Amino acid sequence: MISHSRRHCVVKLQALPMRIGQIRRIVSAQLRHWQLDPLIDRAALGVTELLSNVHRHAQPDKTCTVEIELRLGRLTVSVYDSDPRLPMLRASGDAEAIRAAGISGIDALETSGRGLALVEALSETWGARQQEDCPGKVVWFSLRAAPGPAAPEHHPVFLAEKPVRDLAPAPPVAVPLERVSAGLSVTASVGARPG
């Protein structure tokens, strides 16, 4: 019997500048916990760009949900918000220019409009679609995931300290972080699903 591992983490928040740094740390800690250290920088940068877009553009409010999911060797990072307007990539050549310049060659005089081009440049695939069950949209990107060597711990991990074994499906478990950071709600699950 073949079983496919699925790992999932959801964070609900207000997309405010002070929260974006917290989400970067949560995403980094979660990927470190899943032993996906090589993806941390790209995933953290991508989620920062998507949350910055929610902060700048989403109407009527800045409430959103960040979801990271590892499934079948692919990490997908999604940001859901209540604004039904789909984002538009600024210009078709932006992502190629960013990729060719090694991301650091972005025009220093530009102060906005590069977020989706950057997400396109750092990810393997990305997209946006309206939500079917409620008003709003989801913008997502994905990366090929392969476990890498664990990086040294620089920040405390907010997750369980005992190793988690993928033996049986586990329902999502709400992890209250009020003591760590008021205003965030995190749900994480790790489980195996027969395939």
Side-chain angles (χ1 to χ4, degrees), residues 48-124:
T48 298
E49 292 300 326
L50 296 183
L51 288 173
S52 295
N53 283 348
V54 172
H55 173 69
R56 286 186 192 109
H57 305 293
Q59 299 296 328
D61 64 35
K62 309 302 179 191
T63 302
C64 65
T65 301
V66 174
E67 177 181 57
I68 56 175
E69 180 178 39
L70 176 62
R71 188 172 187 173
L72 301 176
R74 182 161 302 279
L75 178 73
T76 302
V77 178
S78 305
V79 174
Y80 298 81
D81 67 53
S82 59
D83 189 339
R85 297 174 298 157
L86 294 176
M88 297 190 56
L89 188 59
R90 188 166 177 205
S92 62
D94 284 355
E96 290 79 15
I98 291 169
R99 207 177 269 124
I103 296 180
S104 62
I106 300 171
D107 184 356
L109 299 176
E110 302 251 355
T111 59
S112 66
R114 302 176 304 217
L116 288 179
L118 189 56
V119 168
E120 182 179 54
L122 65 84
S123 66
E124 293 180 25

Side-chain angles (χ1 to χ4, degrees), residues 34-38 146-151:
W34 291 345
Q35 298 178 347
L36 296 174
D37 297 60

Side-chain angles (χ1 to χ4, degrees), residues 2-8 69-74 166 190-195:
I2 299 172
S3 71
H4 298 285
S5 172
R6 177 180 183 258
R7 297 173 182 197
H8 187 246
E69 180 178 39
L70 176 62
R71 188 172 187 173
L72 301 176
R74 182 161 302 279
D166 291 339
V190 177
R193 291 180 13 191

